[in-house]
Amino acid sequence: MKENLKYRFAGVSDAAILAELNLQLIRDEGHRNPMSVDDLTVRMSIWLNGQYQAVLFKEFDQIVGYALYRHEPDFVYLRHLFVVADRRRQGIGRHALEWLRQSAWPTAKRIRVEVLFKNENALAFWRSVGFGEYCVTLEHQFPESGTN
């Protein structure tokens, strides 16, 4: 266990902090989301005022990550689990999942996450903590209209 790792449930007042972390997540995973930090703050506020809940992870009073999730009837949908880049591979994500399972989702039967196919580091992490493939989403992207 990581004795110095602390958790707290986040509220709408934390939307800007969560948006900054979300922007890092978007960049790190290679997502094509073009939203600015201001856009992400608005979106995070909407989510937190709706069905989503968030937890901030802190170590030595420094934010090192967060989780964003919602409860569905048959599973917990974990939309984001993020650890800042310089703190990865130190057990924070694994410990956070254990804490969430015990403290936020004690009755959950399943947890569902989505991972970009080319994000090999994330896929390796999720497999290492016991997740396996459930479905595959395929996409076809058309060329921009009006171009040759």
Side-chain angles (χ1 to χ4, degrees), residues 2 59 62 64 83-92:
K2 296 188 72 58
E59 192 169 37
Q62 187 173 37
V64 295
V83 175
V84 295
D86 65 341
R87 302 306 310 279
R88 292 184 192 145
R89 304 192 65 80
Q90 298 175 26
I92 293 171

Side-chain angles (χ1 to χ4, degrees), residues 73-131:
D74 297 326
F75 58 91
V76 171
Y77 174 54
L78 179 55
R79 186 175 189 112
H80 300 159
L81 179 72
F82 176 74
V83 175
V84 295
D86 65 341
R87 302 306 310 279
R88 292 184 192 145
R89 304 192 65 80
Q90 298 175 26
I92 293 171
R94 182 179 300 272
H95 189 273
L97 275 175
E98 290 172 19
W99 185 91
L100 289 161
R101 179 76 172 108
Q102 292 173 10
S103 302
W105 316 323
T107 61
K109 302 282 187 234
R110 285 191 301 279
I111 301 164
R112 191 167 289 168
V113 299
E114 295 174 353
V115 182
L116 293 177
F117 186 72
K118 292 185 179 183
N119 189 346
E120 294 176 8
N121 290 334
L123 286 168
F125 168 76
W126 290 112
R127 289 178 179 132
S128 78
V129 294
F131 283 71

Side-chain angles (χ1 to χ4, degrees), residues 13 16 18 27 48-49 51 59 61 68 87-88 110 112-113 130 133 135 138 140 144 147-148:
S13 63
L18 291 163
R27 289 177 178 159
L48 293 172
N49 274 319
Q51 297 180 337
E59 192 169 37
D61 292 325
L68 180 74
R87 302 306 310 279
R88 292 184 192 145
R110 285 191 301 279
R112 191 167 289 168
V113 299
E133 286 81 7
C135 69
L138 301 175
H140 178 81
E144 296 287 322
T147 61
N148 295 334

